[in-house]
Amino acid sequence: MRRPGGWWRVKSTPEKVETYTRWSFHFFGVIEILALGVTAYGRTGAGLATALCLLVTAHAAVCMLVSSRALDWTRGRRPQPVRQMWALVVVSAVVSITAVVIAERGPSGEVETAAGSVYGGVLCYAAGVITLGVHGRRRRVAVVGTFAVGAGLLTFPLEMPLLASVVLAGLVMVTGGFLAATSIFSLWLLNAVYALDDAKETRVRLAVAEERLRFGRDLHDVMGRNLAVIALKSELAVQLSRRGRPEAVEQMIEVQRIAQESQREVRDVVRGYREAALEVELAGARGVLSAAGIVSEVTGETAGLPAEVQSALGWVVREATTNVLRHGDAKKVAVTVRMSEGRVVLTVENDGVAETAGDGPPGGPGGATGPGGSGLSGLRERLSAVDGTLEAGPVGKGVFRLTAEVPLPAAAAGAALGVAS
């Protein structure tokens, strides 16, 4: 069962910013209803105030729809909301003209002020929202300018002085431009957050690619030299064999020896690649987390631990760090290695996980697949080879802890405790 607010905590940082941005645009619509529609009840009779409030509410609803569709269009999820924007233009014109009619033919007094507020307000909000659905500075300025000119032209039936019409048009230009700039800045900020998140993923992929290149270079260094020697000695053996020289056998024996040596060296390279040294993995985790802007705290001694224990715990550090980067939203990660009653205990704790269900990966939700297994199952298999155990789960609000314990042989335990003391 999800805890209250769990829907928010499971979101990534870009998704949280997008949700905040989307509801900010909706909140603009609520402000429009409160500022233009509800306040009409204090300025005129209940009948006209209700009519004005309903008109403003309908206009605000269309603004919310257009802003939401424009946000999806900006993120590449929907086509450009051209029809919805034209619908907003039509609704804005209808509401404005109706407000003009009410101000002209309705009872004199404060009803003119209420209708005038609705008239100018809906045009300002519409100008700010429609700019979300267009690209380019010139087009956005043209949208705001068109609404400002329209606001001035629609005042002629009221027989307003020319100066008053110009002032009203300028007010729509300034207010609509401010709303447009605020909305566009919100979109820019959202896109920047998504770009930073993509860069974070790219950094992880580059780290994997760099490791593959390192492995390829190691294999090339091992095999390139030996294969060249094998080719030369094989050619020499062929020439000696054609001449009937007994040295050809010796050369082929040397080729056989080099081939066997190459097999051993390749196995050593692959074994070193597959085995994860705990000290190396701790240093690598510290560097990768720091590069990702995550505060890392790594404590503990690894000297004196058997190679198989270091390899198993090294994989835990590698998998946990990778999944914190891929799936979590952590600000701080703490990795601790300690000796306790003949056992080595590795703890990886981060503050970027709110919900973890079932057999998810260490350090975050999801189902990332790691080398040698999927999530916690793969790590448990590796630890079981050294009689180790693994526990993982949330331990507090937004905190996820992974604990691996591996028993130490008596001799290794004594040596490790001696180093720690």
Side-chain angles (χ1 to χ4, degrees), residues 279-289 321:
E279 184 66 31
V280 174
E281 293 302 328
L282 290 174
R286 185 186 295 109
V288 171
L289 292 172
T321 303

Side-chain angles (χ1 to χ4, degrees), residues 102-319:
I102 293 175
E104 184 179 16
R105 300 185 180 183
S108 60
E110 293 187 351
V111 66
E112 295 181 358
T113 303
S117 299
V118 171
Y119 169 76
V122 295
L123 295 177
C124 293
Y125 277 101
V129 170
I130 289 180
T131 54
L132 294 174
V134 296
H135 274 321
R137 183 183 304 175
R138 292 182 179 179
R139 293 181 180 179
R140 289 163 177 163
V141 172
V143 168
V144 177
T146 300
F147 273 91
V149 172
L153 294 177
L154 287 176
T155 59
F156 283 101
L158 297 178
E159 298 180 356
M160 291 180 60
L162 179 61
L163 180 60
S165 299
V166 173
V167 170
L168 179 60
L171 184 63
V172 173
M173 171 72 78
V174 173
T175 307
F178 174 77
L179 293 175
T182 303
S183 302
I184 294 168
F185 177 77
S186 298
L187 287 184
W188 175 84
L189 181 62
L190 175 62
N191 291 329
V193 172
Y194 269 106
L196 289 175
D197 189 67
D198 292 340
K200 180 179 176 181
E201 292 293 330
T202 302
R203 215 165 27 236
V204 174
R205 289 194 296 268
L206 288 176
V208 174
E210 184 177 355
E211 182 64 15
R212 290 175 177 173
L213 289 175
R214 184 193 68 80
F215 181 62
R217 287 194 300 268
D218 291 345
L219 281 181
H220 178 269
D221 293 341
V222 169
M223 296 300 297
R225 179 191 68 252
N226 292 348
L227 288 176
V229 174
I230 288 174
L232 290 174
K233 287 190 171 293
S234 298
E235 184 179 356
L236 178 58
V238 170
Q239 297 297 330
L240 293 174
S241 177
R242 288 176 177 174
R243 298 174 185 175
R245 302 281 296 273
E247 292 88 348
V249 176
E250 297 178 0
Q251 294 296 327
M252 291 308 299
I253 292 175
E254 182 66 13
V255 168
Q256 183 182 22
R257 185 193 65 79
I258 295 174
Q260 293 173 347
E261 181 70 15
S262 298
Q263 288 180 330
R264 184 188 63 79
E265 291 180 352
V266 169
R267 283 195 297 267
D268 290 341
V269 171
V270 174
R271 186 182 301 112
Y273 180 74
R274 288 179 177 174
E275 292 181 354
L278 182 55
E279 184 66 31
V280 174
E281 293 302 328
L282 290 174
R286 185 186 295 109
V288 171
L289 292 172
S290 299
I294 300 174
V295 178
S296 59
E297 181 180 347
V298 181
T299 58
E301 293 291 337
T302 62
L305 295 178
E308 61 273 12
V309 174
Q310 290 208 34
S311 178
L313 295 180
W315 272 110
V316 175
V317 174
R318 181 182 297 184
E319 290 289 310

